[in-house]
């Protein structure tokens, strides 16, 4: 864990720790590999945050250990996966901020991962290893945190990078896809001509929650004849069932949390 | 300074980078010639060359922080950070960063805007590079520099793919790969040296 120990921010232990790692067998079914159960992988989750972006007050929020334990998935013994060490470091580097952007939400903050060069590199390497021989010519990244992970992956696998953006950001001619929010709708846009029919694409974002933005991005690409090979995210919020919303489109995540 | 003013003067990569940038007239409003780097990102070789040129420049400068300005700075900064072993720090518009932040206001043509950085992301004494796709007036870069200096970091240089000629803010150290002039326009260029 990095140096985010300034006066007003204390993380006793970083969050969520269900290291579920999904792989797809050649037949296309998804298989869940569980990392071995070692005592170091599971600790009570406690995030203490003092201070807030918009107030001078200090408050601390402690998640109860009991509810934290409910969130931990007991592992079945398995032979050590060579990627385990990297996943543990990645998971540990993600910071949880309670009640952001609104009360009751536990925000998964990847900025702390970006402050850890080894963990950040491991994150990219895990994606690159998976995709480099899959004939992927397009990496589409979703604004704005998809812009952080997408380009390094694209550069490493020889693909182009295509930003998928909120409305009115892209300057040229665009196609738009609307998607539903909890209240109302929003839109994602992609430049006309960025991708060609028949190209094989990945869609990247830092996190999948309900899957709404990922679905919109997939639609944009499929509408112009691109094959979306897989969606890839660092984090999955499993109980929001984004995976279901993606339907039969494959999803690959590094860390899954509830 | 522009890359063409250094030993990279004849480097053919610079011409390819220049040509890969698309100019969109009248975006976001009439009279503005928007420099679109998305076409550069579609060309793997040119995108890689862009990143490599920054990496070559900064790898031996003892840089531990690459700070990228939202959102197009995010497209270049992380790759540079990864290659030189530095951390990546996103500098964002208000209310995007979830943790405690420090803010710096800066002027727009009409009104002001604000750039934020997480508290604790950068330590005093660290050496930083600020990255964005383009520098025009220098207002955003100026705010970025202030955020880093306020926490005791040293900004070694700002790095942008494109430089435009209308600097209004004095910036000691900006390194730009290519220079774009708006075409089809009668130009009056104001260069302010503070």
């Amino acid at each position: 864990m990095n140096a985010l120990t300034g006066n007003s921010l204390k993380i006793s232990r970083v969050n969520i720790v269900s290291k579920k790692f999904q792989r797809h067998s050649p037949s296309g079914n998804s298989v869940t590999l569980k990392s071995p159960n070692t005592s170091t992988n599971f600790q009570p989750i406690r995030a203490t945050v003092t201070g807030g972006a918009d107030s001078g007050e200090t408050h601390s929020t402690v998640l109860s250990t009991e509810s934290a334990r409910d969130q931990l998935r007991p592992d079945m013994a398995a032979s050590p996966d060579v990627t385990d060490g990297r996943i543990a470091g990645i998971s540990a580097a993600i910071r949880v901020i309670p009640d952001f952007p609104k009360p009751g939400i536990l925000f998964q903050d990847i900025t702390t991962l970006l402050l850890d060069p080894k963990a950040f590199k491991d994150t990219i390497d895990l994606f690159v290893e998976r995709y480099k021989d899959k004939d992927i010519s397009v990496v589409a990244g979703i604004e704005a945190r998809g812009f952080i992970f997408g380009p390094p992956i694209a550069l490493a696998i020889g693909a182009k990078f295509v930003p998928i953006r909120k409305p009115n950001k892209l300057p040229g001619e665009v196609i738009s896809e609307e998607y539903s929010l909890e209240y109302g709708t929003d839109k994602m846009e992609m430049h006309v001509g960025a991708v060609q029919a028949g190209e094989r694409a990945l869609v990247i974002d830092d996190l999948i929650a309900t899957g709404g933005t990922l679905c919109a991005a997939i639609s944009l690409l499929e509408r112009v004849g691109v094959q979306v090979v897989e969606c890839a995210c660092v984090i999955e919020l499993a109980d929001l069932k984004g995976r279901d919303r993606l339907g039969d489109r494959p999803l690959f995540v590094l860390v899954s949390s509830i | 300074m522009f890359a063409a003013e250094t030993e990279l003067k004849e480097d053919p990569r610079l011409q390819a980078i220049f040509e890969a940038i698309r100019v969109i007239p009248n975006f976001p409003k009439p009279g503005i010639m928007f420099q679109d780097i998305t076409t550069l990102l579609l060309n793997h070789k040119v995108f890689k060359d862009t990143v490599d040129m920054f990496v070559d420049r900064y790898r031996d400068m003892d840089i531990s922080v690459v700070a990228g300005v939202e959102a197009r700075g995010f497209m270049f900064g992380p790759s540079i950070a990864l290659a030189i072993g530095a951390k990546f720090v996103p500098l964002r518009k208000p209310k995007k960063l979830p943790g405690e932040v420090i803010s710096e206001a800066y002027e727009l043509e009409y009104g002001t805007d604000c750039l934020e950085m997480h508290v604790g992301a950068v330590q005093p004494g660290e050496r930083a590079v600020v990255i964005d796709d383009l520098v025009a007036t220098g207002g955003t870069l100026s705010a970025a520099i202030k955020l880093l200096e306020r926490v005791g970091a040293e900004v070694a240089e700002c790095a942008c793919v494109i430089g435009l000629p209308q600097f209004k803010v004095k910036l000691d150290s900006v390194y730009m790969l290519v220079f774009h002039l708006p075409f089809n326009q009668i130009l009056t260029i104001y260069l302010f040296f503070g």
Side-chain angles (χ1 to χ4, degrees), chain B residues 39-53:
Chain B
T39 42
L40 184 154
L41 307 174
L42 297 178
N43 182 330
H44 176 263
K45 180 178 187 320
V46 175
F47 186 17
K48 183 172 188 309
D49 286 343
T50 304
V51 170
D52 286 349
M53 293 188 84

Side-chain angles (χ1 to χ4, degrees), chain A residues 4 8 111 114 147 155 161 191, chain B residues 41 44 74 88 100 118-119:
Chain A
L4 270 178
S8 29
T111 66
L114 308 176
F147 294 176
L155 285 169
F161 178 72
H191 267 148
Chain B
L41 307 174
H44 176 263
F74 292 4
F88 178 72
E100 195 191 353
H118 267 147
V119 167

Side-chain angles (χ1 to χ4, degrees), chain B residues 58 63 65-68 127-131 148 154-159:
Chain B
Y58 297 119
I63 305 293
V65 177
V66 173
R127 281 169 54 78
V129 167
V130 180
I131 179 116
L148 290 157
E154 178 199 341
V155 178
E157 197 160 80
C158 295

Side-chain angles (χ1 to χ4, degrees), chain A residues 102-161:
Chain A
K102 33 184 218 213
I105 299 200
L106 294 175
F107 189 92
Q108 309 293 319
D109 180 20
I110 49 88
T111 66
T112 42
L113 171 71
L114 308 176
L115 297 179
D116 181 339
K118 181 187 184 314
F120 186 19
K121 182 179 188 304
D122 287 344
T123 304
I124 300 299
D125 286 349
L126 283 163
F127 290 123
V128 170
E129 285 161 18
R130 182 176 180 81
Y131 298 118
K132 65 178 190 264
D133 297 317
K134 300 285 194 300
D135 204 24
I136 307 284
S137 60
V138 179
V139 173
I142 298 182
E143 168 162 19
R145 290 182 287 266
F147 294 176
I148 296 174
F149 296 97
I153 296 167
L155 285 169
I157 68 175
K160 53 173 107 165
F161 178 72

